[in-house]
Amino acid sequence: MIAALRARLRRRWPIARQLATALVVIVLVNCVLIFVAMTIWTANEERHIRETSSPATQRAIAALDAGRVPDFKGIDKVIKEVNDLTETVNERGNTALLICLLLAAICDFVLGSIFLAKLGRGLNDVAFTARRVADGDLSARAPLVRWASAEEAQLIDDFNAMAQSLQRAERELAESTAAIAHELRTPLTILRGRIQGTIDGLFAHEEKEMRSLLLQVEGLGQLVDDLQTINLAKSDRMILNPDHIDLAQEVERVIALVRPDLEAAGLEPVLILRPTAIVADAARIRQMIGAVLSNAQRYAAGSGPLRICTARHGGWAVLEIVDHGPGLPEEAMDKAFDRFWRAEASRARHSGGSGLGLSVVRAIAEAHDGTATLANHEGGGAIFTLRLPVGVAPDAA
């Protein structure tokens, strides 16, 4: 009960409730201020009347206060003096009322400034932080103030999330630019050197030499295709051709093509395939499967059995690929699908590929409204899991 009460008290009020509460407080303060001021003025006015009235009037007032009936002359004297004082008392009362209203207005201004400064501080902080972000400081974050309303707290959270996304996008852009330059430098250098050497007569026009150059060109083309796939997915413009397919059959088709390469790398495919009908782009599905198998061939070479399973769980088609390689460090779990990330410290293409394979896999999976994850397997190695919805065709952009 106490915990529930504390949790309720920690809930932030909507700004409408905060403003209504502030208004009620100001009205109550006004009422108390006017009541106290008029009470003081009334007591002071009574005292002033007693002090300035004639002795006969004072005796009549004293008799009335004592519960006695004053004599006729005293009453007549009181009536005459009251008539004379009425206009003066009214003028003094109006003046006192105006002073009270002026004091109330000043009090309202002070209290309103204090309350609104407290209630609007979150908006001011967001505005100040927004100016810092506009000036290029993407690390700026708006603090969550104590008296922030529910709307202000939500605005602060959303603004900080936006600033964090902008900072991450800027970092990824810088890293991607550097990585793309690194990936292009080696093949372009080779192509330029070989072509210049051929022109200068240093290399003969042999078929072997041309095939070597063609491989470099194909590598560049694959890099460009992977980058285009990722960018299309991020901008929701990836073109998909969904059709009714069997995930197990697509796996078999890919395995038939890459089995020799897997076996040459010391991997033995173990297929546990159950028919799993889905609506998806068959070419993109095969592209995903090929990229994951290529990743396993690179990082789990010589680890023996490579278990590949397909099954259906509820409304999801699930593909699992389990290797028995070294697995991934815990700190690398969230980075495995980042563009140009490799498990090794070296960025050499011969050991780490382009670093786009798993990024392409996640992009295609998300384009199908699915998910792709990579984790360490309990028995050692890594387990890749692809989950795709069944029976729902993705939008063909």
Side-chain angles (χ1 to χ4, degrees):
M1 179 66 71
I2 296 178
L5 179 60
R6 289 178 178 175
R8 185 173 182 180
L9 291 175
R10 284 196 297 267
R11 294 177 184 172
R12 297 187 180 275
W13 285 10
I15 192 169
R17 187 183 298 178
Q18 287 187 340
L19 292 176
T21 303
L23 180 61
V24 169
V25 171
I26 292 175
V27 170
L28 290 177
V29 170
N30 283 342
C31 292
V32 171
L33 179 63
I34 293 176
F35 175 78
V36 172
M38 293 306 296
T39 300
I40 295 175
W41 179 85
T42 301
N44 184 66
E45 196 65 23
E46 288 179 356
R47 182 181 57 80
H48 178 72
I49 291 174
R50 288 176 182 272
E51 292 176 352
T52 57
S53 59
S54 63
T57 300
Q58 292 181 7
R59 288 193 297 271
I61 293 175
L64 290 173
D65 291 340
R68 302 191 307 271
V69 178
D71 56 18
F72 179 77
K73 292 182 179 181
I75 294 176
D76 183 61
K77 191 69 173 177
V78 170
I79 293 174
K80 288 182 179 181
E81 291 189 10
V82 168
N83 290 333
D84 294 337
L85 291 173
T86 298
E87 184 175 354
T88 302
V89 171
N90 288 337
E91 291 179 357
R92 293 168 61 87
N94 291 335
T95 302
L97 182 59
L98 290 175
I99 294 174
C100 288
L101 292 177
L102 180 60
L103 291 175
I106 296 174
C107 181
D108 290 347
F109 178 79
V110 173
L111 291 177
S113 299
I114 294 174
F115 281 130
L116 292 180
K118 291 289 186 181
L119 300 182
R121 184 178 174 184
L123 298 178
N124 292 333
D125 289 342
V126 170
F128 176 75
T129 309
R131 287 191 293 270
R132 291 179 57 189
V133 172
D135 291 337
D137 184 9
L138 298 182
S139 63
R141 299 292 184 270
L144 183 60
V145 296
R146 180 179 180 183
W147 298 104
S149 63
E151 293 86 351
E152 287 178 303
Q154 186 63 49
L155 175 63
I156 291 171
D157 289 342
D158 293 342
F159 177 83
N160 288 340
M162 180 194 68
Q164 184 175 1
S165 297
L166 289 174
Q167 186 180 24
R168 182 171 59 252
E170 184 185 45
R171 183 177 63 251
E172 289 179 353
L173 178 61
E175 293 176 352
S176 296
T177 302
I180 291 173
H182 175 85
E183 295 297 331
L184 294 177
R185 184 180 296 112
T186 300
L188 287 176
T189 300
I190 294 175
L191 285 172
R192 182 175 60 184
R194 293 297 178 89
I195 293 175
Q196 186 65 45
T198 303
I199 294 174
D200 295 340
L202 299 178
F203 301 109
H205 294 272
E206 297 179 356
E207 180 181 354
K208 181 179 179 181
E209 188 68 25
M210 293 299 104
R211 289 187 179 278
S212 175
L213 296 179
L214 181 60
L215 287 177
Q216 296 294 332
V217 174
E218 290 177 350
L220 290 174
Q222 183 62 47
L223 176 62
V224 172
D225 290 342
D226 289 344
L227 287 171
Q228 184 183 30
T229 299
I230 295 172
N231 290 330
L232 288 175
K234 282 187 171 293
S235 59
D236 295 327
R237 293 188 294 110
M238 180 181 290
I239 298 176
L240 298 177
N241 298 304
D243 197 2
H244 293 274
I245 62 174
D246 187 344
L247 181 59
Q249 291 181 358
E250 301 303 327
V251 172
E252 290 178 339
R253 291 173 181 173
V254 176
I255 291 297
L257 294 174
V258 302
R259 181 182 290 273
D261 295 332
L262 292 176
E263 293 177 348
L267 295 174
E268 180 184 352
V270 178
L271 305 182
I272 308 175
L273 305 178
R274 297 181 181 179
T276 309
I278 59 173
V279 177
D281 187 325
R284 293 294 188 183
I285 296 300
R286 291 193 295 270
Q287 182 181 359
M288 277 195 297
I289 298 171
V292 176
L293 293 176
S294 176
N295 192 74
Q297 177 182 342
R298 182 176 301 114
Y299 294 112
S303 61
L306 182 66
R307 183 162 56 89
I308 305 172
C309 309
T310 59
R312 176 170 177 171
H313 298 295
W316 296 91
V318 180
L319 167 66
E320 289 185 352
I321 300 178
V322 183
D323 64 59
H324 294 82
L328 286 172
E330 290 297 329
E331 62 273 11
M333 290 300 177
D334 296 333
K335 300 180 180 179
F337 291 91
D338 290 349
R339 286 177 289 181
F340 298 107
W341 182 87
R342 296 187 182 90
E344 307 97 340
S346 170
R347 297 194 58 87
R349 291 181 60 86
H350 71 272
S351 63
S354 68
L356 289 175
L358 293 182
S359 299
V360 172
V361 170
R362 172 168 284 183
I364 296 175
E366 292 177 349
H368 285 81
D369 296 327
T371 60
T373 59
L374 188 65
N376 285 329
H377 191 249
E378 294 180 356
I383 175 171
F384 168 83
T385 304
L386 172 68
R387 293 169 59 87
L388 298 174
V390 298
V392 179
D395 296 332

